[in-house]
Amino acid sequence: MKARILRIAAASVLALAASAGIAWWQVNNMTETVAGATKSAVPIGGPFTMTDNKGRTVTDAEYRGKYLLIYFGYTYCPDVCPTELGVMTQALDLLGRQSDKVQPLFVTVDPERDTVAHLNDYVALFHPSLIGLTGTVDQVRDTARAYRVYYAKAPQKDGKPDEYLMDHSSFIYLMGPDGGFVGVYPAGTTADRIAQDLGTRIAG
């Protein structure tokens, strides 16, 4: 058991390194920094149809009128996903009443394991307004493509078929109340920075 845990931990480090490299390439080749977020030079975002953590079919239009904080990850992620969702939660707490103008979304890139029930239990660990989104493999793929999200299954040596990690890029996407792309907060952006940037946008 100890050896297996060590193998998973080592694989996690490699997965994070790969994701960090891809994220760095994306930011430096696709974007320019504006205020607290990073603005893209290519189209990002678009219509999607998915299933939320309550089992409802939802579309992107469901969330018009609010700023969206969107993070793509998966519930079995050992560290980076809970870390970034924790940052989102802290930022929303710092916003206080202004957080009513923001809808946080967690979109899984692992629909095979992230069922509606499992996703519902997971998002409850973070901010009460956080909504989890899953769907068919095709729906997840199409949504990820629209947001330029990289992800890939990383099977573990000698692991069972359902014992795998997911390599994935790590950004918090900021979408405007009209559904248009505003920018991304790269991994490592602090909750203070996100809250300050969002607060300025909401007040403006």
Side-chain angles (χ1 to χ4, degrees):
M1 177 63 73
K2 184 176 181 180
R4 178 169 168 269
I5 292 173
L6 289 174
R7 286 200 302 271
I8 292 175
S12 299
V13 172
L14 292 175
L16 289 172
S19 296
I22 291 167
W24 178 256
W25 183 90
Q26 287 177 320
V27 169
N28 282 275
N29 287 274
M30 293 167 52
T31 60
E32 56 179 300
T33 300
V34 179
T38 303
K39 201 167 185 178
S40 176
V42 299
I44 290 180
F48 64 75
T49 300
M50 303 195 77
T51 302
D52 72 11
N53 57 286
K54 299 301 182 182
R56 299 186 312 130
T57 298
V58 297
T59 70
D60 57 297
E62 185 98 2
Y63 310 111
R64 291 291 184 271
K66 291 188 175 184
Y67 282 95
L68 300 185
L69 288 178
I70 307 177
Y71 186 79
F72 288 79
Y74 66 114
T75 65
Y76 291 87
C77 183
D79 37 31
V80 68
C81 296
T83 296
E84 292 303 304
L85 290 177
V87 168
M88 284 174 57
T89 295
Q90 293 172 38
L92 291 168
D93 286 342
L94 289 169
L95 280 171
R97 295 181 64 179
Q98 283 184 310
S99 66
D100 292 342
K101 303 293 185 182
V102 183
Q103 176 58 64
L105 299 175
F106 174 62
V107 183
T108 184
V109 294
D110 184 18
E112 295 177 44
R113 293 183 297 185
D114 286 344
T115 62
V116 168
H118 186 68
L119 199 56
N120 190 56
D121 289 340
Y122 186 77
V123 297
L125 300 173
F126 300 95
H127 198 272
S129 67
L130 179 63
I131 293 175
L133 297 179
T134 186
T136 66
V137 171
D138 288 346
Q139 287 174 327
V140 170
R141 179 202 62 210
D142 292 345
T143 302
R145 282 180 177 174
Y147 283 82
R148 313 288 173 169
V149 172
Y150 161 82
Y151 69 98
K153 186 181 291 188
Q156 302 305 293
K157 184 178 180 181
D158 301 324
K160 296 178 181 178
D162 63 345
E163 293 178 347
Y164 56 85
L165 297 173
M166 296 294 293
D167 295 342
H168 63 92
S169 49
S170 182
F171 297 116
I172 296 175
Y173 291 79
L174 176 61
M175 309 299 287
D178 62 352
F181 176 74
V182 176
V184 296
Y185 301 106
T189 305
T190 66
D192 286 346
R193 184 68 180 274
I194 294 174
Q196 181 181 23
D197 182 55
L198 269 175
T200 299
R201 295 177 188 278
I202 292 170

